[in-house]
mmCIF file of all heavy atoms in Angstrom:
data_model
loop_
_atom_site.group_PDB
_atom_site.id
_atom_site.type_symbol
_atom_site.label_atom_id
_atom_site.label_comp_id
_atom_site.label_asym_id
_atom_site.label_seq_id
_atom_site.Cartn_x
_atom_site.Cartn_y
_atom_site.Cartn_z
ATOM 1 N N GLY M 107 -75.587 65.628 -13.695
ATOM 2 C CA GLY M 107 -75.616 67.083 -13.711
ATOM 3 C C GLY M 107 -76.771 67.635 -12.889
ATOM 4 O O GLY M 107 -76.605 68.613 -12.143
ATOM 5 N N ILE M 108 -77.922 67.011 -13.004
ATOM 6 C CA ILE M 108 -79.098 67.447 -12.231
ATOM 7 C C ILE M 108 -78.872 67.217 -10.741
ATOM 8 O O ILE M 108 -79.188 68.065 -9.902
ATOM 9 C CB ILE M 108 -80.362 66.699 -12.713
ATOM 10 C CG1 ILE M 108 -80.677 67.093 -14.160
ATOM 11 C CG2 ILE M 108 -81.555 67.017 -11.813
ATOM 12 C CD1 ILE M 108 -81.769 66.257 -14.800
ATOM 13 N N ILE M 109 -78.303 66.056 -10.397
ATOM 14 C CA ILE M 109 -78.041 65.740 -8.985
ATOM 15 C C ILE M 109 -77.072 66.750 -8.367
ATOM 16 O O ILE M 109 -77.284 67.253 -7.259
ATOM 17 C CB ILE M 109 -77.477 64.308 -8.855
ATOM 18 C CG1 ILE M 109 -78.529 63.284 -9.264
ATOM 19 C CG2 ILE M 109 -76.997 64.035 -7.424
ATOM 20 C CD1 ILE M 109 -78.002 61.864 -9.357
ATOM 21 N N VAL M 110 -76.005 67.076 -9.095
ATOM 22 C CA VAL M 110 -75.018 68.045 -8.603
ATOM 23 C C VAL M 110 -75.676 69.403 -8.371
ATOM 24 O O VAL M 110 -75.442 70.059 -7.347
ATOM 25 C CB VAL M 110 -73.836 68.176 -9.587
ATOM 26 C CG1 VAL M 110 -72.945 69.350 -9.207
ATOM 27 C CG2 VAL M 110 -73.023 66.899 -9.632
ATOM 28 N N LEU M 111 -76.509 69.821 -9.307
ATOM 29 C CA LEU M 111 -77.172 71.116 -9.190
ATOM 30 C C LEU M 111 -78.089 71.168 -7.965
ATOM 31 O O LEU M 111 -78.054 72.132 -7.183
ATOM 32 C CB LEU M 111 -77.981 71.405 -10.456
ATOM 33 C CG LEU M 111 -78.718 72.751 -10.491
ATOM 34 C CD1 LEU M 111 -77.727 73.912 -10.410
ATOM 35 C CD2 LEU M 111 -79.559 72.856 -11.760
ATOM 36 N N VAL M 112 -78.889 70.120 -7.775
ATOM 37 C CA VAL M 112 -79.835 70.082 -6.658
ATOM 38 C C VAL M 112 -79.096 70.079 -5.314
ATOM 39 O O VAL M 112 -79.421 70.856 -4.399
ATOM 40 C CB VAL M 112 -80.761 68.847 -6.767
ATOM 41 C CG1 VAL M 112 -81.590 68.684 -5.493
ATOM 42 C CG2 VAL M 112 -81.678 68.981 -7.977
ATOM 43 N N ILE M 113 -78.085 69.217 -5.179
ATOM 44 C CA ILE M 113 -77.332 69.145 -3.923
ATOM 45 C C ILE M 113 -76.568 70.440 -3.686
ATOM 46 O O ILE M 113 -76.501 70.949 -2.556
ATOM 47 C CB ILE M 113 -76.364 67.941 -3.920
ATOM 48 C CG1 ILE M 113 -77.146 66.632 -4.027
ATOM 49 C CG2 ILE M 113 -75.510 67.950 -2.660
ATOM 50 C CD1 ILE M 113 -76.269 65.399 -4.126
ATOM 51 N N GLY M 114 -76.005 71.012 -4.756
ATOM 52 C CA GLY M 114 -75.263 72.260 -4.633
ATOM 53 C C GLY M 114 -76.118 73.396 -4.112
ATOM 54 O O GLY M 114 -75.688 74.160 -3.243
ATOM 55 N N VAL M 115 -77.330 73.504 -4.626
ATOM 56 C CA VAL M 115 -78.247 74.550 -4.160
ATOM 57 C C VAL M 115 -78.656 74.284 -2.710
ATOM 58 O O VAL M 115 -78.771 75.216 -1.897
ATOM 59 C CB VAL M 115 -79.485 74.631 -5.075
ATOM 60 C CG1 VAL M 115 -80.534 75.575 -4.483
ATOM 61 C CG2 VAL M 115 -79.077 75.104 -6.472
ATOM 62 N N ALA M 116 -78.847 73.014 -2.354
ATOM 63 C CA ALA M 116 -79.266 72.664 -0.986
ATOM 64 C C ALA M 116 -78.200 73.025 0.044
ATOM 65 O O ALA M 116 -78.514 73.290 1.217
ATOM 66 C CB ALA M 116 -79.574 71.167 -0.913
ATOM 67 N N ILE M 117 -76.927 73.063 -0.379
ATOM 68 C CA ILE M 117 -75.829 73.384 0.541
ATOM 69 C C ILE M 117 -75.763 74.888 0.844
ATOM 70 O O ILE M 117 -75.214 75.299 1.868
ATOM 71 C CB ILE M 117 -74.486 72.891 -0.052
ATOM 72 C CG1 ILE M 117 -74.422 71.364 -0.004
ATOM 73 C CG2 ILE M 117 -73.282 73.479 0.665
ATOM 74 C CD1 ILE M 117 -73.220 70.772 -0.704
ATOM 75 N N LEU M 118 -76.351 75.691 -0.008
ATOM 76 C CA LEU M 118 -76.240 77.150 0.079
ATOM 77 C C LEU M 118 -76.472 77.727 1.480
ATOM 78 O O LEU M 118 -75.669 78.550 1.955
ATOM 79 C CB LEU M 118 -77.211 77.785 -0.923
ATOM 80 C CG LEU M 118 -77.002 79.263 -1.269
ATOM 81 C CD1 LEU M 118 -75.621 79.496 -1.866
ATOM 82 C CD2 LEU M 118 -78.083 79.727 -2.235
ATOM 83 N N PRO M 119 -77.521 77.316 2.211
ATOM 84 C CA PRO M 119 -77.755 77.908 3.546
ATOM 85 C C PRO M 119 -76.679 77.576 4.582
ATOM 86 O O PRO M 119 -76.592 78.238 5.614
ATOM 87 C CB PRO M 119 -79.107 77.299 3.967
ATOM 88 C CG PRO M 119 -79.742 76.809 2.709
ATOM 89 C CD PRO M 119 -78.608 76.400 1.829
ATOM 90 N N PHE M 120 -75.857 76.542 4.295
ATOM 91 C CA PHE M 120 -74.877 76.088 5.286
ATOM 92 C C PHE M 120 -73.476 76.684 5.069
ATOM 93 O O PHE M 120 -72.550 76.366 5.809
ATOM 94 C CB PHE M 120 -74.783 74.555 5.256
ATOM 95 C CG PHE M 120 -76.096 73.870 5.529
ATOM 96 C CD1 PHE M 120 -76.883 73.415 4.485
ATOM 97 C CD2 PHE M 120 -76.559 73.705 6.829
ATOM 98 C CE1 PHE M 120 -78.094 72.787 4.730
ATOM 99 C CE2 PHE M 120 -77.769 73.087 7.085
ATOM 100 C CZ PHE M 120 -78.549 72.625 6.038
#
Side-chain angles (χ1 to χ4, degrees):
I108 295 171
I109 294 172
V110 170
L111 181 62
V112 171
I113 298 176
V115 172
I117 289 173
L118 196 59
F120 302 98

